[in-house]
Amino acid sequence: MSSASQPTHTNRLSQETSPYLLQHAHNPVDWYPWGEEALQLAKVEQKPILVSIGYAACHWCHVMERESFENPHIAQVMNKYFVCIKVDREERPDVDQVYMDAIQAMGVQGGWPLNVFLNPEAKPFYGGTYFPPKNWEQLLTSIGQGYAGQYRQELDASAQQFTQVLQTSELEKYRIPATTEGVSDEQFKLLVYNVVAKFDRELGGIDRTPKFPMPAIWQFLLRTHALSGSAPILRQLELTLREMAWGGLYDQVGGGFARYSVDAEWLVPHFEKMLYDNGQLISLYAQAYQAAPNDLYRQVVYDTIGFVQRELTSPEGGFYSALDADSEGEEGKFYVWTREELQQALGDEEALASDYYNCTGLGNWEHGLNILHRAETDAEFARRHLLTPDVVAELVQGWQRKLLAAREQRPHPGLDDKVLTAWNALMLQGLTDAYRAFADPDFLALAERNAVFLRDNLTCKRHFMGVAQVGLFRSFKHGRASIDGFLEDYALVIQALISLYEVTFVAEWLNLAKELTETTLTHFFDPTENLFFFTDADTADNGRGSQLIARKKELFDNVIPASNSVMAHNLHRLGLHLENSQYTELAATMLRQVQELVVQEPQNMANWASLYANLLRPTAEIAVVGSQVEEFRRDISHHYLPNVVLAGTASVSSLPLLAGREARAGATTIYVCFNRTCHQPVHSVAEALAQL
């Protein structure tokens, strides 16, 4: 290697595994990772701390790096006045959570990059998101000189005030009174009304821009429709699923969804593709297919799983985190087309394909570029062009193959190749939901391979008062697991393992879910509020050297459902599987802690709202015993049954729902029970469904 290709600068981030941190390893900024070394240095030197938080697929993070963090003069100012810490928000959501709350308390709208100024005790006094280079340098100089001079006392006082706000319990902060009331149909109607009021009835989704897919909201609507049979609810759901799948948000060539749409029409995406979105959207479209079969939903599931297999699957069976929005320094360049590029790839079929995907010579976006999207069904397109739907389907498959081959020749977006436990669990859940809906053995094989990967690489032994428990790591890269798991990791893995058990009846997965649940109760649970902290009890200082100024609880369902809402679902399902009333009672208690807010703001509490819907009616406990257990399971799973737990065995099992149950008269037998009271055992799926 020539000396010209050697980096001019190398900082401590070069020792990290996070792709995002490694992107900054050769900045002239003297970056530290979050941890003991940096935090102690700030205390020793009594310098303020600059924490800059982002992630590998973040477009504006890259812009600020190019403009400011790679600028030697600006870096010199940063190094002179601050201890500079870079954080990958995906590896350290705990750090991100605390300082995102801090800038919101300052009245700043959150986003990434997130840049927060702290005193040497890691308490925040100022922050913001993206800053242009001139503004950034002025701010650095002003704060740096002010803290070193006459304004230190004032800034420390401000930091203390913000810290007190951050240390307030979320229940206190949002003034959420726990209710003693249970769930009711009357209150549920109000809850549904409050969701419906937020709909975009013309274009689907929630009436705001930018538009995020928000799978938890639409999964709640699926549950609501299952309960009520409401035609308007189903119409809004189907409108949203169609518009998302027809829009530029969805990759019409290669499958998979971008993170969000910048417009109301779902046309222009922010082009990054995240594993967590795609895992959840596979679940959503698979469940929607079960509830209201539609070939579009099926195609979305198959093509999105195809995208994840092709572009986000590691050789070991883990799933990578994300694809960047940018390639060749431009956002979306990998995904958009000029009319000439389409002609080159498709030849004589270009005109027909351009009509199908709404592409023009002037472009439907900017600079003569086209984002492929649809505006009608294949049947409608076929009628306009005097074709049969079968011919259109064949043509579309051919166009996709040719365009994918042409696109493969382009420089690809950057890959964030760390494997995150929680996001893998969302993909694992998606695969189990897809397998329920379509019974495709390839989906199950991919799911089981991922579950084995998680079990073998991301679980560990933890000890509490001499008792060994199963724990989780957060991240995996280059054959090494790192960072203790957060509640999000535990909750989402437990959820996926329960689902994997229900599509395989392999007891190991249910037992592992139980062990991880016991770990969360030991290390994360707060008995004073009957909710779980996001970080474990050892975080006060467990060798990470990264004691946070506040220990948070995640209550609001966002793009990823809140870890507390997922744990409440888990406790409800697992409690029924294991006949553990303490679990089911705790799930109901957790909902009561936030119930008033769930009814008032269900669009922000959608996964909690799904639990509310489930608790309105007793959950069915279905046990299948006998030699045809797999065939019966497949037939049951084909149906959308959101309020059911399912257990089965070909012979005998010690699992509580199966213990003492047998195949009667030598025929496979189904037991349907509610609240431990059972109907007459039956010998066909149709009879069992009639008992629900």
Side-chain angles (χ1 to χ4, degrees):
M1 186 182 286
S2 68
S3 59
S5 63
Q6 294 281 3
T8 309
H9 304 276
T10 299
N11 57 51
R12 289 164 182 79
L13 300 185
S14 63
Q15 304 303 310
E16 298 298 302
T17 59
S18 157
Y20 176 65
L21 298 185
L22 289 170
Q23 286 171 4
H24 294 265
H26 300 296
N27 295 166
V29 178
D30 189 14
W31 292 118
Y32 288 77
W34 180 269
E36 177 79 30
E37 186 180 7
L39 297 174
Q40 285 302 317
L41 180 67
K43 288 177 181 176
V44 169
E45 297 192 354
Q46 284 299 293
K47 285 173 76 172
I49 300 166
L50 166 62
V51 175
S52 182
I53 304 172
Y55 57 100
C58 166
H59 172 72
W60 287 101
C61 300
H62 300 328
V63 173
M64 193 161 179
E65 180 188 19
R66 284 196 302 270
E67 292 177 341
S68 294
F69 303 150
E70 291 179 351
N71 181 313
H73 175 67
I74 292 177
Q76 187 177 22
V77 178
M78 292 171 68
N79 296 336
K80 176 181 178 181
Y81 290 116
F82 302 96
V83 174
C84 301
I85 298 178
K86 251 290 165 208
V87 174
D88 181 344
R89 69 171 294 260
E90 296 168 354
E91 277 198 341
R92 295 304 303 259
D94 56 333
V95 178
D96 179 61
Q97 213 175 62
V98 167
Y99 294 116
M100 180 64 76
D101 280 1
I103 72 154
Q104 287 170 343
M106 296 169 193
V108 178
Q109 187 171 356
W112 299 276
L114 182 66
N115 294 291
V116 191
F117 295 90
L118 322 177
N119 71 7
E121 302 300 316
K123 296 174 180 178
F125 58 80
Y126 190 74
T129 54
Y130 165 79
F131 293 90
K134 186 177 179 182
N135 299 19
W136 182 239
E137 185 180 349
Q138 288 173 345
L139 180 66
L140 292 166
T141 304
S142 173
I143 290 177
Q145 290 178 351
Y147 197 85
Q150 61 181 323
Y151 295 111
R152 174 171 181 152
Q153 195 170 355
E154 187 179 321
L155 292 173
D156 278 341
S158 178
Q160 187 59 38
Q161 287 179 332
F162 284 123
T163 300
Q164 286 171 352
V165 171
L166 294 175
Q167 290 172 342
T168 303
S169 149
E170 279 76 3
L171 292 181
E172 269 184 72
K173 179 179 171 184
Y174 296 103
R175 296 185 174 87
I176 310 171
T179 180
T180 55
E181 292 178 30
V183 297
S184 71
D185 286 295
E186 204 57 41
Q187 197 181 50
F188 186 68
K189 285 177 188 172
L190 176 60
L191 190 164
V192 173
Y193 174 82
N194 286 337
V195 175
V196 169
K198 304 290 184 181
F199 287 166
D200 181 336
R201 297 176 187 277
E202 299 297 319
L203 298 164
I206 297 298
D207 191 10
R208 68 180 187 199
T209 53
K211 273 188 172 170
F212 288 79
M214 302 304 290
I217 293 176
W218 313 110
Q219 286 176 310
F220 168 66
L221 285 197
L222 274 171
R223 280 178 161 81
T224 301
H225 178 258
L227 267 175
S228 67
S230 164
I233 289 287
L234 185 60
R235 280 198 299 274
Q236 183 68 26
L237 178 70
E238 291 182 328
L239 170 67
T240 299
L241 296 185
R242 186 191 74 201
E243 293 299 315
M244 288 199 303
W246 280 2
L249 180 81
Y250 184 67
D251 181 353
Q252 304 293 334
V253 170
F257 290 84
R259 193 159 83 83
Y260 63 87
S261 166
V262 303
D263 54 19
E265 293 78 23
W266 305 104
L267 172 62
V268 181
H270 189 38
F271 287 91
E272 61 197 6
K273 282 168 134 179
M274 316 300 292
L275 179 67
Y276 61 75
D277 285 317
N278 286 284
Q280 291 181 90
L281 287 162
I282 289 166
S283 287
L284 173 62
Y285 279 86
Q287 290 169 5
Y289 184 89
Q290 289 174 298
N294 182 318
D295 285 342
L296 176 65
Y297 304 163
R298 179 189 178 94
Q299 201 61 50
V300 165
V301 170
Y302 271 80
D303 288 353
T304 302
I305 291 174
F307 151 68
V308 171
Q309 280 187 285
R310 187 177 65 247
E311 300 189 46
L312 293 180
T313 303
S314 77
E316 306 96 334
F319 299 117
Y320 298 135
S321 294
L323 285 176
D324 208 322
D326 298 8
S327 56
E328 301 179 76
E330 292 181 30
E331 185 179 5
K333 187 169 184 179
F334 184 71
Y335 299 101
V336 296
W337 303 82
T338 63
R339 193 76 183 264
E340 292 72 24
E341 287 170 331
L342 291 170
Q343 287 167 348
Q344 194 172 2
L346 300 175
D348 294 342
E349 294 180 11
E350 179 273 327
L352 196 60
S354 286
D355 188 43
Y356 185 84
Y357 289 120
N358 297 280
C359 299
T360 68
L362 293 174
N364 60 35
W365 185 33
E366 56 186 28
H367 311 307
L369 297 169
N370 289 284
I371 298 169
L372 273 56
H373 66 286
R374 297 175 55 188
E376 60 188 344
T377 65
D378 281 1
E380 289 165 338
F381 183 82
R383 274 196 299 275
R384 279 203 302 113
H385 290 278
L386 304 178
L387 300 168
T388 67
D390 287 348
V391 167
V392 171
E394 195 175 323
L395 284 168
V396 171
Q397 285 182 355
W399 299 337
Q400 287 174 329
R401 280 196 302 272
K402 290 172 185 174
L403 292 173
L404 189 62
R407 201 170 75 177
E408 282 298 304
Q409 305 309 308
R410 300 174 175 179
H412 280 236
L415 171 67
D416 184 339
D417 62 350
K418 67 179 179 293
V419 175
L420 292 175
T421 301
W423 298 10
N424 271 247
L426 286 169
M427 187 64 202
L428 176 54
Q429 178 68 40
L431 290 167
T432 64
D433 286 327
Y435 182 63
R436 284 182 210 259
F438 303 110
D440 189 320
D442 289 345
F443 296 166
L444 181 61
L446 197 58
E448 290 182 314
R449 183 168 180 249
N450 182 248
V452 168
F453 167 82
L454 292 173
R455 181 197 66 195
D456 292 351
N457 294 284
L458 284 153
T459 61
C460 57
K461 287 292 180 191
R462 303 192 60 170
H463 291 85
F464 180 74
M465 297 180 69
V467 177
Q469 290 184 306
V470 179
L472 289 171
F473 288 110
R474 169 72 175 176
S475 184
F476 179 90
K477 194 167 184 290
H478 295 328
R480 181 166 68 89
S482 62
I483 305 171
D484 290 344
F486 303 104
L487 181 64
E488 176 183 80
D489 300 295
Y490 284 85
L492 292 170
V493 168
I494 292 163
Q495 173 183 262
L497 291 174
I498 298 169
S499 296
L500 185 58
Y501 166 74
E502 291 189 346
V503 298
T504 62
F505 295 148
V506 174
E508 175 193 355
W509 303 124
L510 195 64
N511 290 328
L512 182 53
K514 177 191 174 185
E515 290 182 71
L516 291 169
T517 299
E518 287 299 314
T519 304
T520 64
L521 288 164
T522 301
H523 293 274
F524 293 85
F525 187 61
D526 176 10
T528 62
E529 291 190 340
N530 287 305
L531 291 165
F532 292 85
F533 289 108
F534 191 76
T535 52
D536 62 49
D538 301 332
T539 296
D541 199 350
N542 64 356
R544 294 181 201 162
S546 56
Q547 182 174 356
L548 291 168
I549 58 171
R551 197 174 174 208
K552 311 296 288 180
K553 294 190 183 86
E554 193 177 46
L555 300 185
F556 289 93
D557 297 313
N558 207 306
V559 177
I560 297 176
S563 44
N564 265 292
S565 71
V566 179
M567 272 310 300
H569 277 276
N570 292 342
L571 288 161
H572 179 66
R573 291 174 71 194
L574 205 54
L576 294 170
H577 269 293
L578 302 176
E579 294 185 350
N580 184 329
S581 58
Q582 289 180 311
Y583 283 5
T584 52
E585 287 165 11
L586 179 53
T589 300
M590 290 175 71
L591 177 61
R592 284 196 296 273
Q593 297 299 96
V594 296
Q595 192 165 307
E596 285 202 14
L597 199 61
V598 176
V599 174
Q600 292 163 15
E601 295 187 35
Q603 74 278 8
N604 298 319
M605 309 286 281
N607 198 47
W608 287 109
S610 287
L611 180 62
Y612 193 116
N614 280 355
L615 295 183
L616 270 178
R617 305 286 182 269
T619 301
E621 304 147 30
I622 302 179
V624 186
V625 183
S627 59
Q628 290 182 280
V629 64
E630 174 51 28
E631 293 93 323
F632 279 32
R633 184 214 58 74
R634 186 179 62 240
D635 291 346
I636 292 168
S637 295
H638 179 69
H639 299 270
Y640 179 63
L641 302 170
N643 203 18
V644 161
V645 295
L646 182 61
T649 181
S651 52
V652 294
S653 171
S654 60
L655 289 174
L657 285 188
L658 300 168
R661 289 185 169 146
E662 59 185 7
R664 295 194 169 189
T668 300
T669 305
I670 306 176
Y671 299 82
V672 177
C673 309
F674 296 90
N675 292 332
R676 302 184 186 178
T677 301
C678 299
H679 289 287
Q680 186 69 23
V682 294
H683 298 288
S684 74
V685 170
E687 290 173 296
L689 293 174
Q691 294 179 343
L692 297 179

